[in-house]
Every structure is written in C-alpha cells, then in structure tokens.
Amino acid sequence: MPQDTGYVLDVPYPHHFQRESTPLWLSFVATALGVAAPDITRPYSWCELGCGQGLGAALNAAANPLGRFVAVDFNPRHIAHGRGLAQAAGLDNLEFVEADFASLARTAEAQEGQHDFIVLGGVYSWISASEREALQRCVRHWLKPGGILYLGYMCQPGMAFLSALQRFLRCHGDSMPGNSPARLQAGLGLLERMAQGGAGFFREQPAAVSYLAAGRREDPRQLAHELLNAHWESLHVADVMAALGACGCEYLGSATPLENIDALSLPGNLLPLLQELRTLAERETFKDLARNQSERRDLYQRGVRRLDEQAHRQALLEQVLTALPGAPQGGGIDFDTRIGPVQGQAGLFGPLLETLAAGPCSFAELARLPGLQGQTGLISPALQMLAWAGHLHPLLSGEVAVERCRSLNRVLCEGALQGIHYGHLAAPSLGSAVAADRLQMVALRIVLEYPGIAGRLLHETVRTLLADAGGVVETDLERRLQDFEAVVLPRWRQMGMLDA
C-alpha cells in the first residue's frame, strides 16, 4: 500500500488477535457448516494480509507446528516488531513480508496455489477500491482449491451512520496539531458537544450517540486506525460476494457461529420471510437488515467441498472440545445476541457444561450422555453457541507445540512487565490463544520460571515485580491472584501452557 494514501502511520496498530483467524477455528466452523476444510493434521500454509504488528501470526505459528505462516504488512514498523517476536520466540515456521497490496498482487500472479488459508481480518473496509481489487487478485491466485478465505469487514446497514462521522473526523483532524489519537479525541469531543446541543443528525441516528460513548472506552490508537484513514467504507455483502465469486470463491457462512443459526440470530417472525428468498446474496442481505449488522466475518472457499450426510456426521463425532476458564459448570445459560437475550435450556446445555467442566470430551462421548438422548441433532448448534460465547473451544489433534508456545509466552509476559499490552497467550492444545491481562501474564512468567511456586510466595513475587516495573498495583490483587490460581491456572495447565 503506497504511503501517500492517507493510511494512519504515526502510531502503530495495537496488538490484536482474532480467534476466527486460526486454522482450527476455521475448520471447526466449516465442519459445522458441512464443508471439508483443508486437512490441518498434515503440513499446510496460512497467510495473513494486513498483519499489523504480527501478534496474531506469532500466536498462530507458535500453536500450530504443522503450518507454514506468512504475514504481510506494508508498514515497516509493524514488520520489524513481528520479526522481533518471531526471532525471540524461535518461530521458524513464520515469515514476515513487507509489501503493499499492489506489488503483492503482481507477485501472486506468478505463484499459483500457495495457501490453504488466507486471512483478512481488519483491512478490507479501510483501503481504496483499487487496493481491494489487488487483494482480490492475491486471493484469486494464491488460495488453493479447497482453501478457505476469512474476510472481516464493516457492512451495511449497521455501519451506514458512521460514514458522515468518519468524514468529519478526518477533515477536522487534518486541521488539528498532534498525533492521530490526539486529533481523534479532539474531534470526538466536538461531536459529543454537537450531540448534546441537539444536532439533527444525532436526533435521527441514536446509534451514533452510542458509538461516541463507546469510543471513549476504546484504545485511542485502535480508534485512530479505524476512523482517520483516507479510505473508509461499509460494504454491502452482495457486492463482496460478487467480487469474490469472480475470484472463484463461494460464500460458506460466518466465522461467527451464532450467525449460522438462523433460529437464534434472527427475529423469529422474520424466518418465514427468509424462506421466500431464493438467492444466497439476497438471503444474506436480508439477514444483515434483520440484525442491523455492522460487521461481518465471512468464510469463503475456492471450490466448495460439501460433505455428504455420513461424512458430515463422522467429522462432527471426531471433534474434541474443552471448557475455557470461567465457563459455567452446568444448568441453563443466557446468551446475549444482537436480537436480544436467548435462553439456552438447562436440559440441553446443563449436561454439556457439566461434562466439559470435568475435562475435554469428544462430540461422540457427549452424544452418548444419558441426559442428551433424543437431542443429538441439537448438540452441534449448542456447542457452536458455547464456542461463540467463549465458554469452550475445539482441541487440536496430533502434534501439540508445548515448548514453542511457552517460548513465545515468555516473550509476551516479559513484554507485559515492560508495559506492552499483548492481551493474549499461546495455548498449545487449542492451536490458538487465550485472553490474558497484565496481572495474569506476570503471574505466568513467575510460574514458568519457578514451577512449584504458589500461594503467598507467588502473590508477593507478583506484587514486587509489578512495583519494580512501575505499574499500579491493584487494590484487589490478592483476590485476583486467588482466582488466577483456583480457576485460570488449572485450565491453562490442561491446555499445555504449563506442566500438569
């Protein structure tokens, strides 16, 4: 991406990780959709276009030893940081490439069929039409037959209101001194005063008022990258589907499992209307209208490989899942969705949660539970809902990269002591990462160094390290560390992040 296109460059993109970008998650969701994903029990290739500072690529590479990972960004500052992470952690299956999308597309045209997975997490809505076309050429030439594309972008109609605000913030920011976050904060403050003063736009667009309030709680650097680029567009799903269809890619569904379950993600009285629609494009556009969708995380495949009924059932039965820290241990559960609260019935979710609380379990084992007899057809949607809500995660089969993950985690925990907010740690058995705050990272660093440390000695050591690092020592540190030892640490051990 040429540097004269107005992309924010004065502050780096904040460190980020998306679970939807991982090979295992993509395979898990594809299987639920009845599609054969690339085989991740054999060597495969994964590519992220627009990798930011490289945290997501590093976490993926550490937790997935069979994958070859390529991470691309045009910002040399981003690439330098990513390479530093990879080198410090010894990730020999991760390559960082500094390139803009136009030059990358020219390279791709000479390299057919390079990658099993291509990930585009936070780029597509923030670049020009010509740069989107360059990315489409990369997908057309690089994605292997049967390969999966993950594409995240802002969409209509939920983000339609933001276009006018973004244009004002960019114009206002051009006239202000200071770096991008400071200029953005000044612009947001002016917009808030307009809203308080009764500006017609805000009277007609209550979502804009809510957005301003939420923006004050966001990382200013993140928001600057979202709102101050020269190019910004919320896209129509039908247009995106047509563009990728021309690249040989067919829409599969959402990487957000809830959105693949119409009965739970759409108002019930609209379901009969949905059944009247014939084409996939109009059905997905209808869903976006029904949900007032503001962001999509779509899955596409080059040459869809549908599973027949028997193969689909077998693929589901072979999946193994584990509960994540903080997951409910039984009973019913309420899900907070875009259409309001959805209640998960205790008779279905209770046995699943109780069994998974005791340890990892296969779909086949769950299907044999006495309490779930006669409900086998509901187990897959229930597991998808629990995974979407962050209560459970599929387990990686085959080789688990324990030492590689621990090596990267040591680097990330050391960064936490230095005030770098990475926010995630590699989890080898998940082929993914788990969220972790600074306190948990500092505690893990100590436990990795001194495996037997616990209780008061651990707590005092954490307090000392935080004080020496100049951070604010939380007043509820004792309670949080007790929770870490009782709830989080046992799950992390189960995931291979520490010795059992």
Side-chain angles (χ1 to χ4, degrees):
M1 187 187 301
Q3 297 194 14
D4 61 354
T5 58
Y7 197 86
V8 170
L9 290 170
D10 59 341
V11 292
Y13 195 88
H15 300 288
H16 71 287
F17 169 79
Q18 293 180 323
R19 63 179 180 177
E20 293 84 1
S21 71
T22 65
L24 181 57
W25 184 273
L26 296 172
S27 299
F28 173 66
V29 176
T31 298
L33 291 168
V35 172
D39 186 356
I40 60 174
T41 65
R42 298 181 177 183
Y44 61 89
S45 179
W46 175 102
C47 177
E48 182 176 18
L49 302 176
C51 66
Q53 295 194 70
L55 175 64
L59 289 165
N60 269 297
N64 295 277
L66 291 179
R68 177 178 66 88
F69 293 83
V70 179
V72 182
D73 203 280
F74 85 108
N75 189 329
R77 187 175 178 182
H78 288 170
I79 294 298
H81 187 91
R83 285 173 176 163
L85 280 181
Q87 182 176 4
L91 302 177
D92 56 3
N93 62 335
L94 172 58
E95 175 189 3
F96 282 93
V97 177
E98 182 185 329
D100 62 70
F101 295 144
S103 63
L104 201 67
R106 291 191 293 270
T107 300
E109 289 169 349
Q111 297 177 338
E112 296 287 335
Q114 294 291 300
H115 303 296
D116 299 283
F117 299 94
I118 293 180
V119 170
L120 279 157
V123 173
Y124 208 66
S125 283
W126 293 268
I127 55 178
S128 68
S130 63
E131 287 160 344
R132 278 198 291 273
E133 192 275 332
L135 283 178
Q136 293 159 16
R137 284 156 56 202
C138 291
V139 170
R140 182 185 305 122
H141 293 282
W142 264 350
L143 192 62
K144 294 179 181 178
I148 287 182
L149 167 70
Y150 164 68
L151 179 64
Y153 59 98
M154 294 182 300
C155 67
Q156 296 277 355
M159 275 295 181
F161 75 90
L162 194 53
S163 178
L165 295 186
Q166 189 272 341
R167 182 51 54 192
F168 170 79
L169 287 169
R170 179 160 173 80
C171 292
H172 182 66
D174 287 344
S175 68
M176 297 289 292
N179 63 18
S180 294
R183 289 186 283 115
L184 176 69
Q185 291 300 312
L188 290 174
L190 180 55
L191 288 171
E192 286 174 339
R193 295 198 300 273
M194 288 181 65
Q196 293 163 4
F201 174 82
F202 292 102
R203 289 200 306 269
E204 297 294 328
Q205 300 285 344
V209 180
S210 300
Y211 184 88
L212 289 178
R216 287 301 195 185
R217 300 188 293 270
E218 292 286 329
D219 183 334
R221 298 169 302 164
Q222 170 82 29
L223 213 56
H225 279 270
E226 180 174 330
L227 295 173
L228 293 186
N229 293 314
H231 299 286
W232 187 102
E233 188 174 359
S234 56
L235 304 167
H236 295 276
V237 62
D239 294 340
V240 176
M241 292 172 68
L244 290 169
C247 299
C249 295
E250 185 175 331
Y251 177 77
L252 297 180
S254 175
T256 303
L258 171 70
E259 294 173 4
N260 297 322
I261 308 172
D262 293 340
L264 299 179
S265 64
L266 298 172
N269 60 328
L270 297 184
L271 294 176
L273 298 180
L274 178 64
Q275 300 308 313
E276 296 177 13
L277 306 179
R278 297 182 179 182
T279 70
L280 191 57
E282 63 180 331
R283 288 172 65 87
E284 291 303 310
T285 303
F286 177 94
K287 292 178 186 180
D288 283 355
L289 289 166
R291 302 183 186 121
N292 194 33
Q293 191 89 359
S294 58
E295 180 184 12
R296 290 188 68 101
R297 295 177 175 180
D298 292 345
L299 299 183
Y300 289 82
Q301 188 171 41
R302 176 181 291 283
V304 175
R305 297 182 174 181
R306 301 282 179 194
L307 297 169
D308 61 34
E309 184 176 349
Q310 182 176 353
H312 187 201
R313 174 179 171 78
Q314 186 60 36
L316 290 174
L317 291 173
E318 291 173 356
Q319 291 180 335
V320 180
L321 300 108
T322 189
L324 295 177
Q329 298 190 10
I333 183 172
D334 289 330
F335 298 97
D336 185 17
T337 76
R338 285 189 70 87
I339 63 169
V342 172
Q343 186 176 43
Q345 298 302 316
L348 172 62
F349 287 90
L352 293 174
L353 291 168
E354 291 166 11
T355 304
L356 289 165
C361 197
S362 71
F363 188 111
E365 292 169 322
L366 294 171
R368 291 195 292 268
L369 292 174
L372 296 180
Q373 296 304 306
Q375 300 188 79
T376 305
L378 299 177
I379 294 176
S380 181
L383 294 177
Q384 293 285 310
M385 288 287 288
L386 290 169
W388 163 74
H391 297 317
L392 59 82
H393 197 281
L395 281 185
L396 194 65
S397 61
E399 183 182 354
V400 176
V402 170
E403 291 307 319
R404 293 166 62 87
C405 287
R406 292 182 188 177
S407 178
L408 176 61
N409 286 344
R410 287 186 177 93
V411 175
L412 300 179
C413 291
E414 189 64 34
L417 271 174
Q418 298 168 14
I420 303 174
H421 182 62
Y422 286 115
H424 287 84
L425 294 166
S429 68
L430 304 186
S432 184
V434 292
D437 60 31
R438 188 182 188 218
L439 181 67
Q440 293 170 337
M441 286 186 160
V442 172
L444 177 63
R445 177 183 181 274
I446 297 167
V447 176
L448 285 172
E449 190 72 21
Y450 304 102
I453 195 170
R456 178 176 296 179
L457 183 56
L458 172 62
H459 299 191
E460 291 176 351
T461 308
V462 170
R463 186 183 297 274
T464 299
L465 281 178
L466 286 173
D468 290 346
V472 177
V473 180
E474 295 89 339
T475 55
D476 63 344
L477 181 143
E478 190 69 23
R479 179 193 61 78
R480 292 185 60 207
L481 282 171
Q482 289 174 357
D483 181 71
F484 174 76
E485 287 194 272
V487 178
V488 177
L489 209 53
R491 289 294 184 196
W492 285 6
R493 292 188 190 280
Q494 200 174 69
M495 295 173 193
M497 296 168 67
L498 304 106
D499 290 333

